[in-house]
């Protein structure tokens, strides 16, 4: 098999697995079902990923590392700390709102905490790595006198917590916000800009020195 065909097969498997894990959870997604949905045999799945854990790890790694790359690029810009923070928040909200299955997977891994699961620890370590970029921007802003001296860790938790709560509790959030967040179009066109505007406004009030 040509190298490009191998890459395409792996990418296809990861794409399908993200949907299946998102819809059914880790326990509900058997290797047989994952292979069947991807249109491959189980031997091929095991060849590329070794196990169901290996496939889940590949799903998580692809998107989280892409997010981290975006955060790092913003953090290195020649811009004010407020501009960096605003861009990071906009990127995070945008990515979360466009990957409906992926963040279900992350939320489950964080909340269920499967005992002895390397994937759960992998997820936590990588998400934590991403939060550190936001923390460093806020700390830099405080040091430079752009931001007030706030509780940095709680500020970071409030950013990630607000986004994750609304995205992963869509039925409840639909009632609270009076919009159908189960509709992807509503999520993109109505909820995403509303959430971005809210976070921008609340962070300005919380951080900027008047």
């Amino acid at each position: 098999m040509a190298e490009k065909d191998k890459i395409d097969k792996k990418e296809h498997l990861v794409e399908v697995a993200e949907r299946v894990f998102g819809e059914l959870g880790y326990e509900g997604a058997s290797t047989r079902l994952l292979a069947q949905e991807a249109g491959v045999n189980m031997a091929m799945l095991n060849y590329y990923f070794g196990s169901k854990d290996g496939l889940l790890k590949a799903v998580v790694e692809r998107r989280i590392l892409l997010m981290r790359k975006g955060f790092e690029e913003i953090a290195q810009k020649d811009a004010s700390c407020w501009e960096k923070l605003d861009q990071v928040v906009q990127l995070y909200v945008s990515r979360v709102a466009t990957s409906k299955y992926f963040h279900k997977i992350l939320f489950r891994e964080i909340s269920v905490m499967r005992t002895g699961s390397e994937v759960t620890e992998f997820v936590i370590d990588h998400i934590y790595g991403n939060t550190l970029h936001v923390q460093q921007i806020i700390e830099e802003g405080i040091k430079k006198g752009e931001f007030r001296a706030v509780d940095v860790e709680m500020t970071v938790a409030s950013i990630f917590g607000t986004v994750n709560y609304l995205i992963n509790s869509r039925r409840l959030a639909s009632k609270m916000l009076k919009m159908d967040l189960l509709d992807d179009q509503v999520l993109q066109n109505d909820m995403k800009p509303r959430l971005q505007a809210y976070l921008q406004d609340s962070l300005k009030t919380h951080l900027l020195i008047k």
Side-chain angles (χ1 to χ4, degrees), residues 32-57:
R32 187 176 299 279
L33 177 62
L34 287 161
Q36 181 181 319
E37 288 291 311
V40 302
N41 57 44
M42 289 178 63
M44 182 173 287
L45 188 152
N46 290 327
Y47 171 74
Y48 285 128
F49 303 102
S51 64
K52 184 166 73 168
D53 271 10
L55 179 53
L56 179 56
K57 194 172 177 180

